[in-house]
Amino acid sequence: DNPLTLTMDGNKTIGATFRAQTLNDGLVAYYPFNGNADDASDNANNGTVNGATLTTDRNGNADSAYALNGTDGNISAADGDHLNFADGNMTLAVWFKYTDGARTGPIIGQSGSDGSVKKWEIFYNVADKKFYYHVFDHGVGPAYWLTGTDFTDDGQWHQIIYTKNGSAYSSYLDGQHMATQEGPTVFPNAGADFSIGSPESLTMRGSLDDIRI
């Protein structure tokens, strides 16, 4: 804790203590992709590379992001209690860049398969040029397409963040708040590997980096 003292009118003081929060508070997994797919948090939720290849990141650093060819391959991390958020809060952040144009499909998340299964994923829809937080607790509630976020691909790196705070879901694009919408209070327990690049059969065509949960 870092104490902060404020002086008022030259002779009156008030004291307050603030806790310095960092990006590591409550961190479940962090994938900086610095030459590998290891989890850089203290939780050892390491990823397994399946056909993805190291590439240059947004800062020009070689072998510091992963590229996917849009046909097959991903990076997967084993499921576990750390991914069962239930009625808790959570944040999912990812840097991404499409190659040869954006196309419809999820870029990151958990889904046992296509169709009607428990899942949560960041999904881009070309038809309306929006990202969605697709959340489906199959057998419990409806399929949600939350916080539609406008995005027109320009072939550059961008960051998208989705947060869950109780039943309020919010999206942020390149640091700007885009939308907030009510959704399910209880998050689905997908029971599948966490997939970077292809939570379903569609594989992203582009690059991903600096993923935090």
Side-chain angles (χ1 to χ4, degrees), residues 143-157:
Y144 290 88
W145 296 89
L146 299 166
T147 57
T149 299
D150 293 329
F151 175 76
T152 299
D153 181 47
D154 59 3
Q156 303 300 311
W157 282 99

Side-chain angles (χ1 to χ4, degrees), residues 83 106 108-123 133-139 142-146 169 184 186-193 199-201:
L83 293 174
I108 191 170
Q110 276 190 296
S111 178
S113 65
D114 296 358
S116 297
V117 297
K118 293 178 183 292
K119 65 180 67 178
W120 54 272
E121 55 195 16
I122 296 178
F123 192 103
Y133 209 4
H134 182 31
V135 178
F136 186 23
D137 200 353
H138 180 57
Y144 290 88
W145 296 89
L146 299 166
Y169 290 74
V186 178
F187 211 60
N189 184 9
D193 286 350
E200 300 188 25
S201 60

Side-chain angles (χ1 to χ4, degrees), residues 57-80:
D57 71 7
R58 66 189 181 280
N59 298 313
N61 300 311
D63 296 338
S64 297
Y66 271 99
L68 298 112
N69 61 17
T71 302
D72 54 23
N74 68 1
I75 297 165
S76 61
D79 184 36

Side-chain angles (χ1 to χ4, degrees), residues 26-213:
L27 196 63
V28 170
Y30 171 41
Y31 302 100
F33 294 155
N34 294 328
N36 55 53
D38 289 350
D39 174 13
S41 76
D42 295 329
N43 302 312
N45 296 314
N46 296 329
T48 299
V49 179
N50 308 297
T53 58
L54 285 165
T55 189
T56 303
D57 71 7
R58 66 189 181 280
N59 298 313
N61 300 311
D63 296 338
S64 297
Y66 271 99
L68 298 112
N69 61 17
T71 302
D72 54 23
N74 68 1
I75 297 165
S76 61
D79 184 36
D81 289 340
H82 62 285
L83 293 174
N84 183 13
F85 301 102
D87 60 354
N89 301 329
M90 64 92 69
T91 298
L92 178 61
V94 55
W95 281 89
F96 67 94
K97 182 179 77 167
Y98 284 107
T99 301
D100 297 327
R103 61 180 183 175
T104 295
I107 64 172
I108 191 170
Q110 276 190 296
S111 178
S113 65
D114 296 358
S116 297
V117 297
K118 293 178 183 292
K119 65 180 67 178
W120 54 272
E121 55 195 16
I122 296 178
F123 192 103
Y124 185 69
N125 185 42
V126 169
D128 59 2
K129 295 183 178 179
K130 290 180 185 289
F131 274 106
Y132 293 92
Y133 209 4
H134 182 31
V135 178
F136 186 23
D137 200 353
H138 180 57
V140 177
Y144 290 88
W145 296 89
L146 299 166
T147 57
T149 299
D150 293 329
F151 175 76
T152 299
D153 181 47
D154 59 3
Q156 303 300 311
W157 282 99
H158 297 276
Q159 186 191 45
I160 192 162
I161 299 173
Y162 278 95
T163 67
K164 174 188 180 296
N165 187 4
S167 62
Y169 290 74
S170 299
S171 63
Y172 300 81
L173 182 65
D174 295 332
Q176 180 179 354
H177 175 246
M178 301 298 289
T180 296
Q181 182 179 350
E182 288 295 304
T185 300
V186 178
F187 211 60
N189 184 9
D193 286 350
F194 177 65
S195 179
I196 300 167
S198 62
E200 300 188 25
S201 60
L202 295 171
T203 300
M204 183 198 176
R205 184 175 58 200
S207 301
L208 296 168
D209 196 16
D210 279 336
I211 295 158
R212 290 177 182 266
I213 310 172

